[in-house]
Amino acid sequence: DSGVTQTPKHLITATGQRVTLRCSPRSGDLSVYWYQQSLDQGLQFLIQYYNGEERAKGNILERFSAQQFPDLHSELNLSSLELGDSALYFCASSTSRRGGSYNEQFFGPGTRLTVL
Amino acid sequence: AQKVTQAQTEISVVEKEDVTLDCVYETRDTTYYLFWYKQPPSGELVFLIRRNSFDEQNEISGRYSWNFQKSTSSFNFTITASQVVDSAVYFCALSESNAGNMLTFGGGTRLMVKP
């Protein structure tokens, strides 16, 4: 158990809908990362938040957005869903600080999204 | 831009065989970090090792060992005396110090260990 929790575990929805994925980082971790794992694109970085602020952005679609709240949990919002958005979405957390030494990211169990 | 290549998409071995998973990376940064993660059939990603670009010492942890060679931009992973429980997808990943700690993953190598 990595200490990172994600809800829900599974989500089935229809095209055009909007969903919210939730992540609670490990206790003490200030950074949260979102990754998408799909058959087409593999595992790719979406976005990182550090202590409530956006820190880095990857190949995240404009239909997707994220935020990190004062209690450090994070939500990934996916809207206008398409069939191709079906994937496993991982959240990870670390203690990495801006400009500091790297600390490994610990991954949550993922949320499997199926868009029908 | 950073890139990680795992040329072996699938490897099948018989239990107790040794197996090496290859990882080649590309980066322009002088400070970077390399990782290996394991994804068992249950789907979670399990952190195995982190290595920074200034530390080329090989590392051994039980049946696992890692060989980091800057000269060939490779960070290979060897499992000695493989076991059925080692069956999983293994990902090599890279993070550049100037890239906000984001991980760039290789395509993964599916390892199947048969009894």
Side-chain angles (χ1 to χ4, degrees):
Chain A
D1 186 349
S2 67
V4 178
T5 60
Q6 289 187 248
T7 56
K9 283 189 176 179
H10 302 277
L11 198 48
I12 301 175
T13 188
T15 54
Q17 296 298 307
R18 172 189 168 94
V19 297
T20 296
L21 313 183
R22 182 188 169 102
C23 168
S24 292
R26 294 187 316 160
S27 177
D29 284 358
L30 299 178
S31 276
V32 169
Y33 310 77
W34 287 97
Y35 292 85
Q36 178 196 58
Q37 185 177 24
S38 65
L39 288 176
D40 292 342
Q41 303 292 329
L43 251 176
Q44 59 174 356
F45 168 74
L46 295 179
I47 197 164
Q48 177 200 359
Y49 277 81
Y50 171 76
N51 204 21
E53 294 183 4
E54 185 182 299
R55 175 80 170 93
K57 221 168 184 177
N59 295 326
I60 187 167
L61 299 173
E62 284 192 14
R63 300 184 285 108
F64 296 1
S65 64
Q67 52 184 331
Q68 186 179 27
F69 296 86
D71 66 352
L72 301 179
H73 91 271
S74 178
E75 293 181 355
L76 179 66
N77 300 295
L78 315 176
S79 61
S80 303
L81 286 168
E82 303 175 359
L83 295 178
D85 297 328
S86 296
L88 188 52
Y89 291 85
F90 285 107
C91 168
S93 74
S94 77
T95 59
S96 55
R97 298 182 298 279
R98 188 190 295 267
S101 60
Y102 193 99
N103 292 285
E104 51 268 24
Q105 296 177 28
F106 292 88
F107 283 77
T111 293
R112 185 168 295 281
L113 173 67
T114 302
V115 182
L116 300 176
Chain B
Q2 52 187 3
K3 183 179 177 182
V4 177
T5 302
Q6 295 179 255
Q8 306 149 308
T9 54
E10 202 167 290
I11 300 176
S12 180
V13 298
V14 176
E15 211 171 15
K16 298 185 183 176
E17 284 186 15
D18 298 348
V19 58
T20 296
L21 310 182
D22 297 333
C23 173
V24 174
Y25 63 92
E26 295 176 29
T27 178
R28 295 178 189 170
D29 215 340
T30 55
T31 302
Y32 53 90
Y33 304 87
L34 295 164
F35 305 79
W36 277 94
Y37 282 85
K38 174 182 180 180
Q39 187 175 39
S42 50
E44 73 271 23
L45 282 168
V46 179
F47 166 79
L48 295 178
I49 190 171
R50 168 173 58 96
R51 174 67 61 199
N52 74 53
S53 53
F54 298 109
D55 182 4
E56 287 193 69
Q57 279 193 338
N58 292 329
E59 182 156 339
I60 298 174
S61 176
R63 295 184 298 106
Y64 295 171
S65 62
W66 291 269
N67 181 268
F68 175 30
Q69 291 198 345
K70 249 176 152 174
S71 59
T72 56
S73 298
S74 65
F75 185 44
N76 297 336
F77 173 30
T78 297
I79 302 175
T80 302
S82 59
Q83 299 176 1
V84 173
V85 292
D86 296 327
S87 297
V89 181
Y90 291 86
F91 291 95
C92 180
L94 166 71
S95 178
E96 294 175 336
S97 65
N98 295 323
N101 293 329
M102 57 170 272
L103 290 170
T104 296
F105 286 89
T109 297
R110 180 178 299 278
L111 174 64
M112 292 178 292
V113 182
K114 299 177 181 177

